[in-house]
Amino acid sequence: MKPGVRALGVAESVRGDANRDRSTLAGAVVRADRVTDGLAYRSCTVGGTDATDALVALLEDLGRPDVRYVLLGAIAPAWYNLLDLARIEAAADRPVIAVTFEASDGLESGLRDAFSDAALERRLEIYRSLPERRALSINDETVYVRHVGCDAETAAAVVRAFTPEGGRPEPIRVAKVAARAGDAYLDSLE
C-alpha cells in the first residue's frame, strides 16, 4: 500500500464515572506511513442507540474525501450502542472494517441479559445484520474482522498495511489515545 493512503480510525472512551451517560468517539485520520493527519470528535449515549448517527456525523465533520477506508475499533461501543456497518458504509461511500481484539461467542447473550422488549429487538436486528466476524493473524497476534464495501482479501490487506507492529491498526490506536484525551479534557471541565 502506498505510504500516503489514508484511513479513518474510530475508537471510544468512557470515563470511569459510573453516572456518566455519554461516551467520547474519536476519529483519527492516519496515513499508511503512520502520519496522523486529522482528528474529529463526537459523543454517543451510553446504553443508547445513537452511535451510528454519531459516527456518520463525525464522518461529515471531517469532510475528507481522501480517506480510503474506515476502521472501527468496536461494533458495540458505549455499552451495546451497536454500530450499523452497512449504514456507515453507505454514508462514507468507502469500505468499513471493524476490528476487534478478543475471541468471543458473540454479543447475543449479553444483549439478552441487558435489554428486553423493543430495546432488545432493535439491537438484535442490528447485530444480526452485521457481516460474519473472521479471525485474522497479524504480527503473531489474532484480531477479528468484519467488513462491508470490500472483500475479505482487501479487508485483510488493509488491516495488515495499517498495523506496523502488534495487533492494533494504527488509525484505531491513535483514535483510542485521542478519545481518552478527550475524556480527560471533559473531566477537567467538571
Side-chain angles (χ1 to χ4, degrees):
M1 187 163 300
K2 293 182 180 178
V5 172
R6 289 163 175 81
L8 170 67
V10 179
E12 64 126 1
S13 179
V14 178
R15 291 183 287 167
D17 182 356
N19 296 321
R20 177 110 191 264
D21 65 346
R22 304 292 298 169
S23 177
T24 300
L25 295 176
V29 177
V30 178
R31 297 186 338 202
D33 63 2
R34 295 190 260 177
V35 172
T36 300
D37 193 17
L39 295 171
Y41 290 91
R42 280 287 174 154
S43 68
C44 63
T45 307
V46 172
T49 57
D50 59 345
T52 298
D53 292 335
L55 206 149
V56 167
L58 186 146
L59 286 163
E60 291 170 0
D61 291 347
L62 275 170
R64 297 288 302 261
D66 57 335
V67 168
R68 298 251 323 259
Y69 307 98
V70 177
L71 302 176
L72 307 175
I75 60 158
W79 195 65
Y80 298 121
N81 197 332
L82 288 160
L83 295 171
D84 182 334
L85 301 188
R87 229 179 100 210
I88 295 165
E89 189 263 341
D93 194 27
R94 61 204 75 175
V96 174
I97 304 166
V99 183
T100 54
F101 308 99
E102 296 177 16
S104 159
D105 291 331
L107 298 179
E108 202 157 322
S109 66
L111 289 168
R112 289 185 185 286
D113 289 343
F115 302 96
S116 62
D117 302 324
L120 172 63
E121 290 308 313
R122 184 173 183 183
R123 285 168 178 80
L124 286 175
E125 183 180 337
I126 294 169
Y127 181 65
R128 289 174 180 160
S129 76
L130 295 173
E132 182 181 334
R133 189 169 94 132
R134 298 187 170 147
L136 175 64
S137 179
I138 184 164
N139 298 329
D140 297 323
E141 294 191 30
T142 300
V143 298
Y144 302 89
V145 176
R146 297 175 197 264
H147 54 88
V148 292
C150 64
D151 60 27
E153 186 177 302
T154 300
V158 169
V159 171
R160 287 187 173 114
F162 281 94
T163 310
E165 59 188 32
R168 194 164 303 261
E170 191 69 0
I172 294 172
R173 188 194 70 75
V174 172
K176 186 68 172 179
V177 170
R180 287 180 181 149
D183 265 352
Y185 175 71
L186 291 173
D187 278 341
S188 73
L189 296 177
E190 292 179 355

